[in-house]
């Protein structure tokens, strides 16, 4: 057993849970922590699966309201309106996410500089939005107009750039269009349920070749820690933002992103790790001969230090 790997899985699970529902970008923080810890997972399967822990936390906290929605859906126009709003808000990310999935994973997810810049820019914008006086027109998520929900859904698509933050994009978009801070955060919570379940299911399907029962222990640790830390955030965030707003999260983004940019610019990048490939022995003329090959380990979640 690699104790160091389990320590890293614990840290990453806590980071996922603490950052998933606040506007600081859980994906950006996880990818930067991966770089810092030297943690690598094929197709980012580990990072994908532990998001389910955060989803479970929000399902638990909002179980009563979700159940009430379910049982009143056939008879309540209010419930049907809210569910329709969530579906409409979810659709833009579903469509664009499928179309741009490979580019996002292969290009944007592999660029720490993009993540750091997005953290800083998003922090500055969130700070401005939080401080600028606005006229509140919507304060009940159950009554959000459907066009408003669609606009929030398009804002959520900005979070496909790692470092932007799904919750940050949806909350900022909602605030710009006249919602109050508490309902903006609450709508972001509810919208996270279909968005994260859909994204996780699609990512798992795309990376099904990388799944391995050998890594269930690491994933289980990350999942549990993500659940516990996310539970704390979901239970406390609404009251916090109602009193304090989003400035503290904006400044956190700016500080983390700035430190990251400075380190990326001043510290020489490490030589990239070369994946091991099977090596075929040859004779003097270059013809292949029988002999042991060096076997690669593609398809697992390697933990490289």
């Amino acid at each position: 057993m690699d104790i160091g790997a389990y320590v890293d899985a614990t840290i990453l699970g806590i980071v996922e849970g603490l950052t998933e529902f606040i506007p600081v970008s859980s994906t950006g923080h996880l990818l930067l922590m991966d770089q810092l810890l030297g943690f690598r997972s094929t197709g980012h399967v580990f990072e994908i699966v532990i998001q389910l822990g955060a989803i479970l936390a929000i399902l638990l906290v909002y179980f009563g309201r979700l159940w009430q929605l379910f049982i009143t859906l056939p008879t309540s126009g209010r419930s049907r309106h809210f569910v329709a709003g969530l579906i409409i808000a979810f659709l833009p990310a579903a469509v664009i996410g499928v179309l741009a999935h490979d580019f996002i994973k292969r290009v944007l997810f592999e660029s720490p500089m993009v993540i750091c810049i997005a953290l800083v820019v998003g922090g500055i914008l969130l700070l401005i939005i939080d401080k600028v006086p606005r006229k509140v027109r919507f304060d009940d998520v159950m009554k959000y107009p459907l066009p408003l929900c669609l606009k929030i859904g398009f804002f959520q698509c900005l979070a496909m750039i790692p470092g932007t933050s799904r919750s940050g994009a949806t909350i900022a978009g909602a605030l710009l269009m006249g919602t109050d801070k508490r309902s903006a955060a609450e709508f972001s919570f509810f919208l996270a349920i279909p968005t994260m379940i859909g994204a996780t299911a699609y990512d798992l399907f795309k990376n099904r070749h990388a799944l391995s029962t050998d890594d269930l222990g690491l994933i289980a640790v990350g999942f549990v820690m993500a659940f516990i830390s996310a539970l704390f955030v979901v239970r406390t965030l609404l009251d916090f933002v109602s009193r304090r707003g989003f400035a503290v999260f904006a400044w956190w983004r700016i500080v983390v992103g700035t430190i990251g940019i400075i380190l990326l610019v001043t510290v020489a990048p490490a030589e990239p790790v070369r994946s091991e490939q099977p090596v075929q022995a040859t004779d003097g003329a270059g013809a292949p001969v029988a002999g042991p090959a060096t076997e690669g380990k593609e398809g697992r979640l390697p933990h490289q230090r």
Side-chain angles (χ1 to χ4, degrees):
M1 177 186 295
D2 184 352
I3 300 300
Y6 281 90
V7 171
D8 289 350
T10 300
I11 294 172
L12 291 171
I14 293 173
V15 169
E16 161 62 26
L18 290 178
T19 58
E20 182 59 54
F21 300 112
I22 62 177
V24 299
S25 178
S26 62
T27 300
H29 278 70
L30 279 180
L31 294 177
L32 291 177
M33 287 299 297
D34 283 351
Q35 294 285 331
L36 181 63
L37 298 173
F39 191 93
R40 300 290 183 270
S41 64
T42 305
H44 297 288
V45 171
F46 174 86
E47 293 85 349
I48 293 167
V49 176
I50 66 172
Q51 291 182 21
L52 295 173
I55 296 173
L56 181 60
I58 202 167
L59 288 174
L60 179 62
V61 171
Y62 281 96
F63 177 79
R65 290 185 64 177
L66 291 171
W67 178 251
Q68 188 67 22
L69 277 173
F70 176 76
I71 63 175
T72 60
L73 200 59
T75 58
S76 171
R78 177 180 168 90
S79 295
R80 288 195 298 271
H81 176 86
F82 178 64
V83 171
L86 287 179
I87 294 172
I88 289 172
F90 164 69
L91 287 177
V95 174
I96 297 175
V98 170
L99 295 177
H101 180 272
D102 290 344
F103 174 77
I104 294 168
K105 294 295 183 181
R106 296 177 184 176
V107 178
L108 298 181
F109 269 48
E110 301 302 328
S111 176
M113 183 59 76
V114 168
I115 296 171
C116 292
I117 291 174
L119 283 170
V120 173
V121 173
I124 294 172
L125 293 176
L126 188 61
L127 196 61
I128 294 172
I129 294 170
D130 189 58
K131 295 299 183 182
V132 172
R134 294 166 294 99
K135 181 180 179 180
V136 174
R137 293 182 293 153
F138 311 105
D139 59 5
D140 184 351
V141 292
M142 300 294 290
K143 297 180 180 179
Y144 274 12
L146 299 184
L148 171 63
C149 296
L150 180 62
K151 293 173 185 176
I152 294 174
F154 279 110
F155 269 96
Q156 180 175 238
C157 295
L158 296 174
M160 294 177 189
I161 303 172
T164 301
S165 170
R166 188 207 59 80
S167 60
T170 55
I171 289 170
L175 292 176
L176 285 173
M177 287 177 285
T179 71
D180 72 317
K181 294 174 182 177
R182 185 183 181 92
S183 71
E186 190 172 26
F187 189 80
S188 178
F189 283 173
F190 280 110
L191 184 55
I193 297 172
T195 301
M196 292 172 63
I197 290 176
T200 301
Y202 187 70
D203 273 330
L204 287 176
F205 172 75
K206 294 284 286 187
N207 293 282
R208 59 192 182 279
H209 63 280
L211 300 176
S212 170
T213 55
D214 296 337
D215 303 298
L216 289 180
L218 289 177
I219 291 174
V221 169
F223 179 96
V224 171
M225 299 312 299
F227 168 75
I228 294 172
S229 51
L231 196 61
F232 167 78
V233 171
V234 174
R235 288 186 181 278
T236 59
L237 182 62
L238 291 181
D239 288 337
F240 179 86
V241 299
S242 297
R243 298 192 312 269
R244 304 287 297 276
F246 299 101
V248 64
F249 305 121
W251 283 114
W252 174 264
R253 293 175 61 105
I254 293 169
V255 169
V256 171
T258 301
I259 293 173
I261 292 172
I262 293 172
L263 292 176
L264 289 171
V265 171
T266 59
V267 178
E271 183 178 347
V273 178
R274 300 180 182 274
S275 60
E276 299 179 37
Q277 299 293 334
V279 177
Q280 175 66 57
T282 61
D283 60 17
V289 298
T294 303
E295 297 182 356
K297 294 184 178 180
E298 297 295 331
R300 291 196 56 202
L301 299 176
H303 182 75
Q304 303 169 340
R305 290 190 175 275

